[in-house]
Amino acid sequence: MTNIILDLHKITKAFGEGHAQVKALNGVDLEVKKGEIVLIMGPSGSGKTTLLSIGGGILKATSGKVILNGSDIGGMGEDILTKKRLSEVGFIFQQFLLLASLTAKENVQVVAEFAGNGGNAVEKSEEILKRLGLADRMNDIPANLSGGEKQRVAIARALVNDPDIILADEPTANLDSKVGHEVMELLREVAKKKGKSVLIVSHDNRIRDVADRILWLEDGIFKEIGKMTTDPVCGMSIEKGANKTTIKGKEYFFCSEGCMNEFKKEPEKFVGNLNQTNYNG
């Protein structure tokens, strides 16, 4: 039995037609193994959320194969695919997407019921919320919860049906650093102690140390992360290229000649404020 939970093979996704067509993904390959945390980073519009949605069967690829737990989900009917998503995939969304009129427990419970766990949905919901430290908040509606508590409810909802893979879209984007780190430690615990796979897309450099693998997605393709660096002027993550200069034996790379020329005028203005995060692994 293979330990690969999600296998994306030559995935292409195009939006629009003719001259207006845009390829969000262009022949992407990705394997996610059992118990592995994979972090996909990249600029806005790089195709990260599109890739996540295709991996979870929310979007259909224009071409390529999506193998989830050994099953090709590309040709599945919506009824079968919905059941598979509910039982095998847990989604964590950036904006939480909790139902405002339902309590924390009810938000989790409804997912369990949709998956056919109606008989013990209440018990399962209470158990997972208690495990995530929300025993005293399970009867509160989302409006009365903090950002960190809402995200924990969203994680509980993703975990309630004991899925094989968790797909998380910017799970720390709306959280401060302390709560964001706690959320990531929860996901790491799920992966390492429960043997679940976790696929995360994010801009958040603070969560890099939690991942087993970090991939860089840009222009619809994966790029070699060892070739990535940070422009010291604009802070953009870029590939190392022709726009570069050397100061005191250290090379600095830039997204454009404009940033490079600005740096050369007053390098001391930028060197002291360089983003310490690099993409050399």
Side-chain angles (χ1 to χ4, degrees), residues 75-94:
M76 286 184 178
E78 190 57 39
D79 288 348
I80 297 174
L81 183 56
T82 297
K83 290 178 181 178
K84 192 170 182 69
R85 279 198 303 260
L86 283 167
S87 62
E88 299 180 23
V89 184
F91 293 94
I92 301 173
F93 301 99
Q94 179 178 352

Side-chain angles (χ1 to χ4, degrees), residues 69 86-90 115 117 124 128 131 156-166 190 194-196:
N69 263 342
L86 283 167
S87 62
E88 299 180 23
V89 184
N117 296 317
K124 287 171 67 72
I128 191 70
R131 182 145 52 97
R157 181 181 58 191
L159 296 178
V160 70
N161 291 325
D162 197 29
D164 296 300
I165 186 167
I166 307 297
V190 166
K194 299 288 185 179
K196 308 300 182 184

Side-chain angles (χ1 to χ4, degrees), residues 20-40:
Q21 186 180 83
V22 174
K23 276 192 176 180
L25 298 171
N26 193 6
V28 172
D29 292 315
L30 174 65
E31 291 181 351
V32 183
K33 298 177 181 177
K34 182 178 180 180
E36 183 180 36
I37 301 175
V38 178
L39 172 61
I40 298 177

Side-chain angles (χ1 to χ4, degrees), residues 94-255:
Q94 179 178 352
Q95 301 298 331
F96 312 131
L97 298 186
L98 302 177
L99 298 173
S101 61
L102 300 184
T103 65
K105 181 171 69 177
E106 289 167 341
N107 266 283
V108 179
Q109 181 183 332
V110 71
V111 176
E113 290 175 344
F114 278 141
N117 296 317
N120 60 350
V122 173
E123 180 182 336
K124 287 171 67 72
S125 301
E126 291 179 349
E127 179 185 349
I128 191 70
L129 286 167
K130 287 176 182 176
R131 182 145 52 97
L132 293 176
L134 293 169
D136 297 331
R137 308 310 303 270
M138 63 176 66
N139 292 315
D140 286 298
I141 61 173
N144 296 331
L145 300 175
S146 69
E149 288 168 339
K150 289 176 185 176
Q151 192 61 295
R152 285 171 183 264
V153 174
I155 292 174
R157 181 181 58 191
L159 296 178
V160 70
N161 291 325
D162 197 29
D164 296 300
I165 186 167
I166 307 297
L167 303 180
D169 188 0
E170 299 283 2
T172 60
N174 298 307
L175 308 176
D176 61 36
S177 58
K178 179 177 181 297
V179 176
H181 190 72
E182 289 174 355
V183 166
M184 291 308 303
E185 285 301 321
L186 281 171
L187 292 178
R188 184 165 184 82
E189 181 180 344
V190 166
K192 301 309 175 184
K193 291 186 178 181
K194 299 288 185 179
K196 308 300 182 184
S197 303
V198 180
L199 178 60
I200 304 165
V201 301
S202 180
H203 292 94
D204 193 348
N205 283 312
R206 301 172 301 176
I207 66 177
R208 288 168 55 91
D209 60 337
V210 179
D212 297 309
R213 276 196 294 148
I214 304 171
L215 305 174
W216 187 268
L217 185 67
E218 188 170 354
D219 299 326
I221 59 173
F222 284 125
K223 297 188 176 182
E224 188 177 337
I225 206 160
K227 295 181 179 179
M228 304 302 296
T229 188
T230 303
D231 184 322
V233 176
C234 66
M236 182 183 296
S237 296
I238 56 171
E239 282 188 287
K240 297 175 183 177
N243 294 314
K244 66 178 182 178
T245 190
T246 302
I247 294 180
K248 296 182 179 179
K250 183 174 180 180
E251 286 186 322
Y252 297 97
F253 294 84
F254 308 89
C255 67

